[in-house]
Amino acid sequence: MSKILQLYREKRWLVIHIQHTSDNPNSVFHPLNEGFAIKEIVQPIDGEVIIRKKVNSSFIGTNLEEYLKENEISTVVITGLTTPHCVSTTTRMSGNLSFNTYLISDATAAFGLKDQNDRYYDAETIHNISLATLHDEFATVVTTEQLMNKFLK
Amino acid sequence: MSKILQLYREKRWLVIHIQHTSDNPNSVFHPLNEGFAIKEIVQPIDGEVIIRKKVNSSFIGTNLEEYLKENEISTVVITGLTTPHCVSTTTRMSGNLSFNTYLISDATAAFGLKDQNDRYYDAETIHNISLATLHDEFATVVTTEQLMNKFLK
């Protein structure tokens, strides 16, 4: 993720940080709690945009769609957490809203999850299947290396 | 799916049919082609709403959100095809838009899919993991029987 961020900064392309927030004081994402702060390796610098969201999709309850359109951005590269929830939902909407969307397979990750019958699926399975259900339908799924050496040069 | 439709008709609850359409004459979903027609078992009757969509999400490019809010519908029950694409995307947006959402595990289904590395995952795996990534985060995943005997009585 830091490699892509560095490339974007060198090229002076638009970087948008999506920060998850919650009104619930018990949530780790409440501004007073530890989950809210942006991690050091992706710390925003001057001139980068921070958009705060309260649900999984970065496009719901935010001005992200309008902001991208006003800035004539048609290609979106998505990284972040977690593959099956926020990343998948945002990627789906990005593709459906007609943005040319890339999702970076090694710059996102998953936790293991239980289904409605309490059956547990490990993190790798959740990650892999989430990517498979997005690829070629909502986004082009590529590695950081593929993105940097093939698609963004 | 026909059991739930019958219950909704008996209760006179709102039924919305989502019909996928395409402007591309080569698409099976183009109005002149065979994939466009609504299947016999879920054929709309007088008074039921038909909303046409062109992307996976039933909420993008349609008036579905406004229609539900204008009609004071806060609980949505989702059935249809396919689990990983249109159904997952619509369920995610329904939950994120604050509708109380139920997804019916035995009234949706998947095809097998290949991922970005050409690795194939079978239909059952795609279906099961798609449901696991939605359950408790975007929707309550239940069977037709659970819905009818526990949640809608």
Side-chain angles (χ1 to χ4, degrees):
Chain A
M1 204 183 291
S2 55
K3 282 185 196 166
I4 297 170
L5 190 55
Q6 193 185 346
L7 174 74
Y8 264 66
R9 286 173 177 168
E10 283 168 9
K11 300 270 190 190
R12 300 184 180 276
W13 292 335
L14 178 65
V15 174
I16 301 177
H17 301 264
I18 308 289
Q19 187 171 29
H20 196 87
T21 182
S22 171
D23 294 332
N24 178 355
N26 296 320
S27 165
V28 293
F29 295 115
H30 186 277
L32 294 178
N33 294 336
E34 56 179 339
F36 178 74
I38 295 179
K39 291 215 177 288
E40 194 55 41
I41 68 156
V42 288
Q43 205 55 231
I45 60 173
D46 278 356
E48 290 176 354
V49 176
I50 301 174
I51 289 180
R52 290 189 180 161
K53 70 174 178 72
K54 291 187 180 177
V55 295
N56 307 86
S57 174
S58 305
F59 289 98
I60 291 182
T62 71
N63 68 340
L64 179 56
E65 183 184 356
E66 295 72 15
Y67 189 85
L68 291 170
K69 288 183 175 163
E70 279 164 13
N71 285 278
E72 296 179 359
I73 305 287
S74 57
T75 296
V76 171
V77 171
I78 297 175
T79 67
L81 294 170
T82 65
T83 328
H85 291 160
C86 298
V87 169
S88 179
T89 311
T90 299
T91 302
R92 287 163 186 271
M93 284 192 69
S94 179
N96 275 188
L97 291 168
S98 299
F99 296 103
N100 178 28
T101 305
Y102 292 92
L103 174 57
I104 313 308
S105 55
D106 54 353
T108 181
F111 297 106
L113 287 175
K114 284 185 178 175
D115 73 6
Q116 68 281 5
N117 300 316
D118 221 32
R119 179 171 165 187
Y120 180 79
Y121 298 94
D122 65 86
E124 191 181 352
T125 304
I126 294 287
H127 178 74
N128 289 342
I129 304 286
S130 295
L131 295 179
T133 63
L134 296 171
H135 183 60
D136 262 4
E137 181 82 13
F138 303 94
T140 306
V141 176
V142 293
T143 62
T144 299
E145 194 186 329
Q146 288 169 333
L147 180 79
M148 294 179 73
N149 294 327
K150 188 170 165 193
F151 293 100
L152 291 186
K153 286 271 160 167
Chain B
M1 202 183 293
S2 55
K3 281 185 196 165
I4 297 170
L5 190 55
Q6 193 186 346
L7 174 74
Y8 264 66
R9 286 173 177 168
E10 283 168 9
K11 299 273 190 188
R12 299 186 182 274
W13 292 334
L14 178 65
V15 174
I16 301 178
H17 301 265
I18 307 288
Q19 187 171 30
H20 196 87
T21 181
S22 172
D23 294 331
N24 177 354
N26 296 320
S27 165
V28 293
F29 295 115
H30 186 278
L32 294 179
N33 293 336
E34 56 179 338
F36 178 73
I38 295 179
K39 292 214 176 289
E40 194 55 41
I41 68 156
V42 288
Q43 205 55 232
I45 60 172
D46 278 355
E48 291 175 354
V49 176
I50 301 174
I51 289 180
R52 291 188 179 163
K53 71 176 177 71
K54 291 187 179 177
V55 294
N56 307 86
S57 174
S58 304
F59 289 99
I60 291 183
T62 71
N63 68 341
L64 178 57
E65 183 184 355
E66 296 72 16
Y67 189 84
L68 291 170
K69 287 182 175 164
E70 279 165 12
N71 286 278
E72 295 178 0
I73 304 288
S74 58
T75 295
V76 170
V77 171
I78 296 175
T79 68
L81 294 171
T82 65
T83 328
H85 291 160
C86 298
V87 169
S88 178
T89 311
T90 299
T91 301
R92 287 164 186 270
M93 284 192 68
S94 179
N96 275 188
L97 291 168
S98 300
F99 296 104
N100 178 28
T101 304
Y102 292 92
L103 173 58
I104 313 308
S105 56
D106 54 353
T108 180
F111 297 106
L113 286 175
K114 284 184 179 176
D115 73 5
Q116 68 280 5
N117 301 316
D118 221 33
R119 180 172 166 187
Y120 179 79
Y121 297 94
D122 66 86
E124 191 180 352
T125 303
I126 293 287
H127 177 75
N128 289 342
I129 304 286
S130 295
L131 296 178
T133 63
L134 296 171
H135 183 62
D136 261 3
E137 181 82 13
F138 303 94
T140 305
V141 176
V142 292
T143 62
T144 299
E145 194 186 328
Q146 287 169 333
L147 180 80
M148 294 178 74
N149 294 328
K150 188 171 165 193
F151 293 100
L152 291 187
K153 286 270 160 166

